[in-house]
Amino acid sequence: MQKRIKMNFRTVLCLLLTTCLTHCSSSESHPFGVPLQTDDGWETSDILDVGLKADPLVSMMADLAAEPDHEIHGILIVKDGKLVFEQYFGGHDYDRLDPDFHGNYVAFDRETKHNLHSATKSVSATVLGVAKGQGFVASVNEHIFTYFS
C-alpha cells in the first residue's frame, strides 16, 4: 500500500525555496507562460526574464501531477517584485468537522477565497525576522501589531 504524503505550509515553502534556488541547466522555453496580468497590483513577468530556471518548475509540476491527492491548492512565485509563476489545483476546502478536515471539492483559482489557518503567522514571523535582521525591529519580543496602523 502506498503511503499518502500530506504537505503542510512548511513543506510547500521548502519545496518552493528549493525550486527557486536550484542551480541546474535550464531549457530555453517552458510550458507556463507569463501569469495573466490583472488589476490586482502585481506586475507579471516570465520566469526566465527574472533569472529563474524553468527545469525545476517543470519537475515540480510533474511530481505534483504524479501525486493527484497532494492537496496543494495553489503555488505563486514572486521574484524581483513580479509575479512569475501562478498555478492552481483542485482540492478539498477545509471542514473542521471532517476527520481529515476535508470539505467540499473545489476547483481553486485566483478568485477562490481560501482559509489560511496558521500560514499567516508563519509568513508574519518570517517578515518580522527579516525586519529584525535588517535593524527595523529592535526585538523579536515586540508585538507585530505595533507596526500596523
Side-chain angles (χ1 to χ4, degrees), residues 14-61:
C14 289
L15 179 63
L16 288 175
L17 289 175
T18 301
T19 300
C20 292
L21 298 175
T22 299
H23 298 286
C24 67
S25 61
S26 179
S27 56
E28 288 297 314
S29 64
H30 59 83
F32 309 117
V34 176
L36 180 65
Q37 183 70 55
T38 65
D39 62 354
D40 62 3
W42 285 104
E43 183 181 345
T44 61
S45 182
D46 189 278
I47 58 175
L48 300 176
D49 292 341
V50 295
L52 292 180
K53 310 284 187 201
D55 292 344
L57 296 174
V58 170
S59 176
M60 175 184 68
M61 294 301 289

Side-chain angles (χ1 to χ4, degrees), residues 12 18 20 25-26 38 40 53 64-65 78 85 95 100 103-105 117 122-124 146 148:
V12 173
T18 301
C20 292
S25 61
S26 179
T38 65
D40 62 3
K53 310 284 187 201
L64 289 174
V78 174
F85 185 84
D95 181 352
D100 290 327
N104 295 327
Y105 189 86
H117 297 284
S122 300
V123 171
S124 297
T146 304
F148 292 100

Side-chain angles (χ1 to χ4, degrees), residues 6 8 19 26 30 34 38 48 50 52 56 71 75-76 85 103-104 112 121-122 127-128 131 133 140 143-144 146 149:
K6 291 196 177 210
N8 61 23
T19 300
S26 179
H30 59 83
V34 176
T38 65
L48 300 176
V50 295
L52 292 180
E71 291 296 338
I75 299 172
L76 288 85
F85 185 84
N104 295 327
T112 308
K121 73 180 174 189
S122 300
V127 169
L128 188 61
V140 293
H143 292 280
I144 195 166
T146 304
S149 58

